[in-house]
Amino acid sequence: QVRLLESGGGSVQAGGSLRLSCAASGYPYSSYCMGWFRQAAGKEREGVASIDSDGVTNYGDSVKGRFTISRDNAESTLYLEMSSLNPEDTAMYYCAGVGHLVPGKRCGLGPADFAVWGQGTQVTVSS
């Protein structure tokens, strides 16, 4: 069965850094897009970053220059390095897998672009 398991969430102060990890299993990980999404209380789920099998990335405007997505295809693991965190980054962060390529974008940032989701890891940034 397909599984995605996030880890690395926690509480940090504004300006701090955090690294999230997502371990994938049960499907050919390297053949699909992977992504990170987040959902704050009372808000819709938004795309944070995505990455294709070759490492080409796509970022949401709110995190460009601050977050870095990467993947280790040999270990079927996805990462999100977050820096310069601010309270607006507080949300539940979800790993998304089995994503299809979007023409002109490689991997998309919409929830409908991915078929499998992890259960989430909470990130809280205090001021």
Side-chain angles (χ1 to χ4, degrees):
Q1 52 187 313
V2 177
R3 291 183 179 180
L4 298 176
L5 181 61
E6 303 98 331
S7 62
S11 298
V12 299
Q13 296 182 4
S17 300
L18 204 61
R19 182 178 65 186
L20 306 182
S21 299
C22 173
S25 62
Y27 75 99
Y29 170 83
S30 63
S31 298
Y32 297 95
C33 296
M34 296 290 294
W36 287 100
F37 289 75
R38 66 186 183 185
Q39 187 166 21
K43 297 184 178 180
E44 64 183 3
R45 187 169 299 188
E46 66 171 333
V48 174
S50 60
I51 185 169
D52 73 6
S53 298
D54 296 320
V56 179
T57 59
N58 189 14
Y59 292 95
D61 290 339
S62 64
V63 305
K64 288 181 179 178
R66 299 190 299 121
F67 291 10
T68 300
I69 187 172
S70 61
R71 66 191 297 167
D72 185 336
N73 288 335
E75 299 296 329
S76 298
T77 303
L78 180 73
Y79 301 97
L80 183 68
E81 296 277 357
M82 304 183 291
S83 62
S84 300
L85 288 165
N86 58 64
E88 288 69 41
D89 295 315
T90 295
M92 183 73 75
Y93 283 71
Y94 297 91
C95 176
V98 196
H100 64 270
L101 295 174
V102 177
K105 299 180 181 179
R106 299 296 293 171
C107 296
L109 289 173
D113 295 324
F114 297 86
V116 180
W117 298 84
Q119 295 186 355
T121 184
Q122 179 68 36
V123 172
T124 301
V125 184
S126 62
S127 60

